[in-house]
Amino acid sequence: MKKHPFLSHPILFTIILAIVPLQLSAVLGILTAKLMNMWFHMGLNSETGTELGSFLACVFRILLSCVIILLMKLSCGKDFRYGFDGYNLKKGFLLVSPVLFMAASNFPEYFLKGGEIKSGLPFAAAFVAGFAPGFFEEVVMRGSALSNMMYQWRDKKNPVLRSLAVSSLIFGALHLMNLAHAGVAETLMQVAYAFGVGFLFGAAYLRTRNIVGPVICHAIVDISAAIFKLPADAPEVIPFTVATSIIITVGGILIGLWLIRKEKQPEILALF
């Protein structure tokens, strides 16, 4: 792997790589929606314009993910790999499959909150809205950040646990940005279970160096939430949400620790 000044600061690298493209995609989505409305005389109202801007932001997030992949390849050299191939593919799906519990739990949770499944174009758009964060976050947090930490800290004590724990903590903490549009209790639960889920995604990626399973399972989780429309007076937190958040957080950490257990660490280090 090539030396690069920016990559040599893995924590700063991770934070910048996660925040800047995310904010850039949001700005591009809003600007593009406004330009489309002006150029094509679409007559969008404020609500519809916001929905279009959000959809376009997801499209830009996917495109920026591809740019990140290209830049990482150019920066790190031909030996750097994300794992968008068949190597350890089945194993990758198997190790990350417990996270599908989260996708399954979304259905009773949203129904209990009075939600209903979208129909028509909003339902189709939900698949893009669900795929975009899964693809972006796995490319950034596991494919780029976790891989870079493993390279940069390979001579440190216990590089596997250090890299996995730090990348998962950053992944969880980044969900504090949701305070802009969600309540404190809901956001703190998101931070907690994002850490647990990130720990499981990261452990599966460390064991396989294949990112296809994490991307698809992550997308399934997000799509299972995006297809629902909640009423304006829906509660942010219900007892079911609290219970599943605890199960997801604790379960993700325990499964992740088992996946990177001591006897598996030589196998992991060989992949990085």
Side-chain angles (χ1 to χ4, degrees), residues 119-172:
S119 60
L121 188 58
F123 179 79
F127 282 81
V128 177
F131 176 75
F135 184 56
F136 173 78
E137 289 170 7
E138 293 310 311
V139 165
V140 169
M141 299 305 306
R142 261 60 72 176
S144 302
L146 180 55
S147 292
N148 185 50
M149 288 178 183
M150 287 292 293
Y151 281 120
Q152 301 298 333
W153 294 340
R154 61 189 178 277
D155 296 325
K156 303 287 186 179
K157 184 179 179 181
N158 203 347
V160 175
L161 181 58
R162 177 195 293 257
S163 300
L164 180 57
V166 172
S167 63
S168 302
L169 280 170
I170 295 173
F171 180 59

Side-chain angles (χ1 to χ4, degrees), residues 141-271:
M141 299 305 306
R142 261 60 72 176
S144 302
L146 180 55
S147 292
N148 185 50
M149 288 178 183
M150 287 292 293
Y151 281 120
Q152 301 298 333
W153 294 340
R154 61 189 178 277
D155 296 325
K156 303 287 186 179
K157 184 179 179 181
N158 203 347
V160 175
L161 181 58
R162 177 195 293 257
S163 300
L164 180 57
V166 172
S167 63
S168 302
L169 280 170
I170 295 173
F171 180 59
L174 287 170
H175 285 73
L176 288 171
M177 292 189 294
N178 291 340
L179 284 169
H181 54 79
V184 175
E186 183 183 14
T187 301
L188 291 179
M189 281 196 298
Q190 288 174 348
V191 170
Y193 67 63
F195 171 75
V197 169
F199 204 87
L200 173 56
F201 278 133
Y205 183 65
L206 288 174
R207 284 286 303 277
T208 62
R209 200 67 188 271
N210 188 288
I211 204 169
V212 177
V215 166
I216 292 178
C217 288
H218 195 149
I220 291 173
V221 170
D222 290 339
I223 290 169
S224 68
I227 61 174
F228 280 93
K229 180 179 181 180
L230 291 173
D233 60 349
E236 288 187 346
V237 178
I238 58 176
F240 183 85
T241 309
V242 177
T244 54
S245 295
I246 293 172
I247 293 171
I248 291 165
T249 303
V250 176
I253 294 170
L254 292 178
I255 296 172
L257 288 172
W258 180 77
L259 290 179
I260 64 162
R261 59 195 184 275
K262 186 176 180 179
E263 54 267 33
K264 296 296 181 180
Q265 296 204 8
E267 173 187 325
I268 293 171
L269 292 171
L271 290 173

